[in-house]
Amino acid sequence: MRLTNKFVYVQIAEAKLQGDYVKASASSRELVKLGWKGGTGNLPAAYLTGELAGRRAIAGGIKEALLDIGLKSSSKGSRLYAVLKGLVDSGLHVPHSPDNLPSDDRLAGTHVSNYAKSLSAQSSDRYKKHFSRYLTRGLKPEDLSAHFKQVREQVMSSPLEVKA
């Protein structure tokens, strides 16, 4: 898994003596093709990318995996654990502690929606500046939770071509 400020990349790989073989992968860039208008590097995008990668892994015959975070620091409720939750919710068995996973409200972007509502009530200029990318893409940040649910249904019903 690789997390940047703009994107999330997930790979399910098999380690062999000759080298690692990627069995399934997904990128938050792909979410745009499924209708995602939110940010591609945030918590909801991390969850959706994990779920997409997990579905592809299962379609490729993989049933279980181990989370390898490499040198990434571990913070409870972070994007790292949002990806893990997506993998687990897709049906992939990954040993973990549920204590580290973000809440369902945060995964759906409710915290962003609530902040957008409070900011729009305070200052129209700050709201427009802070959420300009959402607004440019045609998404009101207050509607992020509902949009997340729609795109999640798209992820769950998307064709399962295995990308390795």
Side-chain angles (χ1 to χ4, degrees):
M1 161 180 359
R2 172 120 167 89
L3 303 170
T4 69
N5 287 336
K6 287 188 174 185
F7 302 105
V8 177
Y9 303 94
V10 179
Q11 293 181 331
I12 289 89
E14 182 179 1
K16 298 215 175 198
L17 288 175
Q18 301 86 351
D20 294 348
Y21 292 91
V22 176
K23 298 295 190 174
S25 67
S27 165
S28 61
R29 291 174 186 251
E30 297 174 62
L31 298 176
V32 176
K33 296 175 191 168
L34 298 171
W36 182 248
K37 295 178 184 175
T40 51
N42 61 14
L43 202 73
Y47 173 81
L48 293 170
T49 306
E51 198 163 39
L52 188 59
R55 290 192 45 162
R56 289 178 177 162
I58 290 169
I62 298 167
K63 295 182 172 101
E64 59 185 2
L66 296 174
L67 182 66
D68 179 7
I69 63 172
L71 298 174
K72 187 82 177 144
S73 60
S74 172
S75 297
K76 182 179 176 179
S78 67
R79 292 183 300 157
L80 173 87
Y81 290 112
V83 170
L84 173 62
K85 176 83 167 129
L87 291 168
V88 170
D89 285 355
S90 72
L92 196 63
H93 175 70
V94 184
H96 65 282
S97 169
D99 297 338
N100 292 327
L101 302 177
S103 68
D104 290 340
D105 281 347
R106 286 188 61 82
L107 290 173
T110 305
H111 62 295
V112 175
S113 298
N114 291 341
Y115 178 64
K117 287 174 189 171
S118 71
L119 196 59
S120 68
Q122 294 173 6
S123 168
S124 177
D125 290 337
R126 282 185 60 202
Y127 171 84
K128 288 177 184 175
K129 185 176 180 181
H130 193 77
F131 293 107
S132 63
R133 287 190 182 158
Y134 284 81
L135 297 169
T136 302
R137 294 180 191 135
L139 175 65
K140 289 183 178 178
E142 300 90 333
D143 301 335
L144 182 62
S145 296
H147 180 63
F148 170 84
K149 290 175 181 145
Q150 291 171 343
V151 175
R152 184 165 184 240
E153 288 175 13
Q154 284 291 110
V155 168
M156 296 304 289
S157 64
S158 67
L160 290 176
E161 78 262 7
V162 179
K163 291 194 175 189

